[in-house]
Amino acid sequence: MKSLFDTVSFECSRNVTRSYSTSFSSAVKMLAPTIRQDIYNIYGFVRFADEIVDSFHDYNKQELFDLFEKDLEAALANKISLNPILNSFQYTVHKYEISRTLIDAFMKSMKMDLVKTNYATFAEYNEYIYGSADVVGLMCLKVFVNGNLAKYEELKNAAMRLGSAFQKVNFLRDLKADFEDLSRTYFPNTDLTQLDEISKNEIIKEIEADFDAGYSGIINLPIEAKFGVYTAYVYYKKLLSKLKNTPSSEIKNTRIRVPDYQKYGLFAKCYFSYKLNIL
């Protein structure tokens, strides 16, 4: 029966999330059980696409991505795939009627990473972030509101801004790896070989504005999603704070992290804030 294959597929998506991001996995565990698996399914899909363009250096990335895209098309059309990650993703896409325009925008940004290494204008930068992060936030929002279109429209902008904030924090945290290993620079009008405090602080202010806009949506999320999304928000805010307090010269040469003991403290703080209804 296909139900058994779906169960195996869902487990694969959970394992991908746990293996690739312990922090995100911890936040997903704070979501209601009714929606948790669907967020795993979305994460597994976006992670696999991202891995193709970022990590598989000893293989033909273009061929792998083309095959992945072809398999994605078949999975969405046939409502099944022998690739368990795509099988999980198509299930969630059809369950919540996630728009193809969101999926297509995501795949377009991933394709950019195959060939593009420099985002010289804010138009290019914003287009990439929309496809790589904002639409992922919107896919998750589709799950969070469970078909409530009015709620989706109400929270749409905040979800996009929160997705942007998360992605930009990742860019700043991964500055060294992106620049040295992948020869990529995402921030326009910024010479990463000479990143100074002024440039860093301008980027920080931009991210802080995204976080402020994103928070306004978190407090209005359905109860099933609020705690988990708030947990992710608090973790990324902490990471941004560490980046803000790290000299620009150090950001260029190391990957800033939040130690596990601080993560546990943050998660505990989130739990009590949620329980005391002070979000």
Side-chain angles (χ1 to χ4, degrees):
M1 294 179 63
K2 184 174 181 291
S3 60
L4 179 57
F5 178 61
D6 287 341
T7 298
V8 172
S9 298
F10 296 161
E11 184 61 34
C12 286
S13 295
R14 285 195 295 272
N15 286 337
V16 167
T17 308
R18 292 166 182 164
S19 298
Y20 278 98
S21 179
T22 55
S23 300
F24 184 77
S25 180
S26 297
V28 174
K29 290 177 183 177
M30 309 301 178
L31 299 172
T34 53
I35 60 174
R36 198 177 296 159
Q37 182 61 56
D38 291 294
I39 301 304
Y40 286 137
N41 295 348
I42 292 171
Y43 182 87
F45 164 70
V46 300
R47 171 51 62 188
F48 266 32
D50 194 57
E51 284 303 300
I52 293 172
V53 300
D54 281 358
S55 301
F56 300 160
H57 308 309
D58 296 330
Y59 303 89
N60 188 319
K61 294 181 182 181
Q62 185 67 62
E63 286 185 2
L64 288 174
F65 194 86
D66 289 346
L67 178 60
F68 185 74
E69 186 172 36
K70 182 180 178 181
D71 288 344
L72 169 64
E73 292 292 334
L76 295 175
N78 301 326
K79 298 185 178 181
I80 188 172
S81 174
L82 294 182
N83 177 329
I85 296 301
L86 291 178
N87 187 57
S88 297
F89 181 63
Q90 68 77 24
Y91 171 87
T92 296
V93 168
H94 289 107
K95 179 180 178 181
Y96 293 97
E97 298 182 347
I98 294 174
S99 170
R100 274 301 303 267
T101 59
L102 300 181
I103 301 169
D104 291 344
F106 171 76
M107 294 295 281
K108 181 179 179 180
S109 283
M110 293 300 98
K111 287 180 185 178
M112 290 181 188
D113 277 336
L114 289 170
V115 296
K116 194 170 180 61
T117 58
N118 181 45
Y119 292 79
T121 69
F122 280 99
E124 292 178 338
Y125 171 66
N126 290 331
E127 180 185 17
Y128 178 82
I129 289 179
Y130 172 76
S132 66
D134 294 5
V135 299
V136 178
L138 294 178
M139 290 182 204
C140 292
L141 182 60
K142 277 284 189 177
V143 175
F144 297 155
V145 302
N146 193 22
N148 187 329
L149 294 180
K151 196 70 173 176
Y152 177 81
E153 290 299 324
E154 174 194 340
L155 300 177
K156 183 177 179 180
N157 182 67
M160 292 170 62
R161 294 292 294 275
L162 191 61
S164 289
F166 290 170
Q167 181 70 298
K168 292 170 187 176
V169 170
N170 288 338
F171 286 165
L172 199 54
R173 178 197 62 189
D174 298 335
L175 208 62
K176 181 177 185 292
D178 284 338
F179 187 63
E180 293 184 1
D181 300 340
L182 300 172
S183 300
R184 290 188 197 143
T185 56
Y186 290 106
F187 295 112
N189 301 326
T190 302
D191 183 355
L192 299 185
T193 63
Q194 301 180 34
L195 181 69
D196 55 22
E197 289 301 303
I198 294 175
S199 298
K200 187 196 79 172
N201 288 332
E202 287 179 355
I203 293 169
I204 295 287
K205 288 180 182 178
E206 178 185 329
I207 299 172
E208 288 175 335
D210 285 332
F211 270 125
D212 289 343
Y215 182 77
S216 67
I218 294 173
I219 60 177
N220 291 305
L221 280 170
I223 194 69
E224 294 84 357
K226 184 182 292 186
F227 182 32
V229 178
Y230 178 68
T231 300
Y233 164 86
V234 169
Y235 167 74
Y236 269 91
K237 283 275 285 185
K238 179 62 176 180
L239 185 53
L240 180 64
S241 176
K242 290 181 72 68
L243 288 164
K244 187 174 184 178
N245 293 322
T246 301
S248 55
S249 58
E250 188 175 342
I251 290 177
K252 290 187 297 183
N253 295 307
T254 188
R255 191 175 192 265
I256 306 303
R257 298 177 181 273
V258 177
D260 286 344
Y261 76 89
Q262 289 187 358
K263 290 180 186 177
Y264 299 143
L266 291 173
F267 293 155
K269 181 180 178 181
C270 291
Y271 178 78
F272 286 114
S273 295
Y274 174 73
K275 283 296 184 181
L276 294 173
N277 198 30
I278 56 176
L279 296 187

